[in-house]
Amino acid sequence: MKQVRFVGLVALMLLVSMAMVYAGGGQEAATGDDYKLVLRLSHVFNPAEQLSKSMDLVAERIYERTDGAIEIQTFPQAQLPAYKEGVEQVVRGANFISVEDPSFIGDYVPDMKALYAPMMYESFDEYVALTKTDLVQDMIARAEEQGIKILTLDYIYGFRNIITREPVTTPQDLSGKQIRVPGTDLYINTLNYMGAIANPLPWGETLSAVQQGVVDGLEGSEFTNIGNRVYETGATHVGLSRHILGTCGVYINIDVWNGIPENYRNIIEEEFLKGAVEGTQILSDNHAAVVAELESHGVTFHEVDGEAFRARLAPMYQEQSGMTPGVFQAVFAELDAMRR
Ligand code: X3X
């Protein structure tokens, strides 16, 4: 009888330990040498875009350097929850990495919208230098209080310009035109102030909306244009507004992050930072060639009346609800200091 009771106790203990190991949805093994974590990384970019390629390369390098302990599965083109919903997955504590622009973190740290405001940057380098300042590092710390670990903010996909069927060079040219934007207030307000009628759509619906005339155009970088063959929609005029610098951060839940052994955390952070530096350099090196390739597809580029657009955008630099008074002035002061 005792023998039966002992076997039953061992079986029960085995079941309990298995339940604990798989508490993370079957994606975590116990800590120690047999530690294994599967993270799903979601973004909206086309596999042909550099940001997509960078994510795949970083995931591969992390897998190799951790001997398979950290497996990051990448899902491009919003195959998994993306945009606001992707960040919500992070906040809810999923084994999930969201790669979105900082305006999507603005819901949790309103000051982040000041990082992504229109007509702020003259170069990629300025933005990257700004993310290293105490001002932005404090925003990053506040994101952690909201449950979001920001691994980096330094992924860049280019200055966003106006892409339309007809040339746009002034705010008047945008009057009455429906322009597709991503679905955050920051984009919507920016294009409305620039003179357009902002029409928020997920990227996956954008090209068909342009082709069918549901919208008159969109705004995006040359890398977005070439990576998605936007020019095939008939929107072959690019107004060089450079109104927003398209950047992305890499976000993971703070508790999921802290649950990863430190040696693996160091590798993950190193590789995402390295991937951002490499990816941005590739964009800088390739921009001229991408412009030439777009021109070979019939795209024409137009200088715009930057001052007229800048004047329209003045209300964008008023703190919105939840933002720290003076945060825009603090950002401008950092940028002015860089330009001296
Ligand atoms: O949140 C990341 C970006 O801001 C999304 O921008 P969107 O929706 O204009 O997509 C950019 C394209 O390059 C996607 O292929």
Side-chain angles (χ1 to χ4, degrees):
M1 188 56 183
K2 273 188 179 175
Q3 182 68 14
V4 170
R5 202 177 300 144
F6 175 74
V7 169
L9 184 61
V10 169
L12 178 63
M13 285 170 65
L14 187 60
L15 281 174
V16 167
S17 61
M18 281 179 71
M20 283 172 64
V21 162
Y22 287 94
Q27 295 177 330
E28 288 175 22
T31 54
D33 291 347
D34 59 352
Y35 181 85
K36 167 83 174 172
L37 176 64
V38 177
L39 294 164
R40 298 187 300 172
L41 182 148
S42 173
H43 63 79
V44 299
F45 294 84
N46 188 303
E49 294 182 83
Q50 182 55 46
L51 194 127
S52 236
K53 296 173 184 174
S54 295
M55 290 300 135
D56 293 348
L57 181 58
V58 167
E60 194 180 300
R61 287 169 170 171
I62 290 169
Y63 186 83
E64 284 166 10
R65 286 188 62 190
T66 62
D67 295 323
I70 304 293
E71 179 184 350
I72 298 176
Q73 300 170 350
T74 59
F75 295 85
Q77 295 182 296
Q79 294 169 29
L80 294 183
Y83 296 125
K84 181 183 175 71
E85 291 73 26
V87 176
E88 284 171 356
Q89 288 288 314
V90 166
V91 173
R92 286 196 196 113
N95 288 332
F96 193 90
I97 294 175
S98 165
V99 179
E100 299 293 347
D101 72 56
S103 77
F104 290 94
I105 303 298
D107 293 339
Y108 303 90
V109 182
D111 283 354
M112 278 275 176
K113 295 176 189 175
L115 270 192
Y116 209 67
M119 297 205 169
M120 301 279 280
Y121 307 105
E122 294 172 5
S123 69
F124 296 170
D125 290 346
E126 282 186 355
Y127 169 78
V128 173
L130 183 70
T131 66
K132 305 296 180 288
T133 62
D134 291 345
L135 175 70
V136 176
Q137 291 301 311
D138 175 60
M139 294 181 195
I140 289 172
R142 279 183 273 151
E144 290 190 18
E145 293 165 8
Q146 301 294 322
I148 302 169
K149 168 68 178 177
I150 298 179
L151 296 178
T152 178
L153 286 167
D154 292 356
Y155 281 87
I156 295 175
Y157 60 94
F159 282 100
R160 298 176 76 107
N161 294 310
I162 306 287
I163 307 173
T164 44
R165 293 177 182 283
E166 305 299 328
V168 166
T169 60
T170 66
Q172 290 73 19
D173 291 339
L174 279 178
S175 177
K177 283 197 170 52
Q178 296 245 4
I179 301 295
R180 176 270 173 184
V181 294
T184 65
D185 290 349
L186 186 126
Y187 283 104
I188 294 166
N189 295 337
T190 295
L191 269 292
N192 285 339
Y193 279 124
M194 286 175 74
I197 300 167
N199 189 329
L201 289 172
W203 181 261
E205 299 172 19
T206 299
L207 299 188
S208 55
V210 176
Q211 270 169 322
Q212 292 158 23
V214 171
V215 294
D216 301 297
L218 63 153
E219 38 88 55
S221 73
E222 281 71 82
F223 301 100
T224 291
N225 202 332
I226 199 78
N228 293 280
R229 299 205 296 267
V230 174
Y231 50 84
E232 291 181 348
T233 66
T236 58
H237 291 278
V238 175
L240 294 168
S241 52
R242 292 159 60 99
H243 54 280
I244 284 177
L245 176 58
T247 73
C248 278
V250 180
Y251 317 119
I252 186 172
N253 177 270
I254 187 69
D255 296 328
V256 171
W257 176 250
N258 289 331
I260 299 171
E262 186 180 6
N263 58 319
Y264 294 146
R265 291 205 304 266
N266 293 338
I267 291 171
I268 294 167
E269 211 148 29
E270 278 171 27
E271 290 303 335
F272 272 109
L273 291 171
K274 180 178 165 189
V277 171
E278 290 178 348
T280 302
Q281 190 56 56
I282 290 169
L283 260 62
S284 298
D285 294 347
N286 291 354
H287 185 252
V290 167
V291 167
E293 188 177 347
L294 286 169
E295 287 173 331
S296 76
H297 291 296
V299 174
T300 50
F301 292 86
H302 309 272
E303 293 302 329
V304 304
D305 183 347
E307 284 318 305
F309 282 118
R310 195 180 301 279
R312 292 288 193 98
L313 287 164
M316 286 297 293
Y317 310 111
Q318 302 301 321
E319 287 86 21
Q320 301 145 42
S321 66
M323 295 181 84
T324 307
V327 65
F328 283 108
Q329 283 66 31
V331 170
F332 289 137
E334 293 287 356
L335 294 170
D336 289 345
M338 293 176 201
R339 295 164 185 166
R340 282 195 200 109

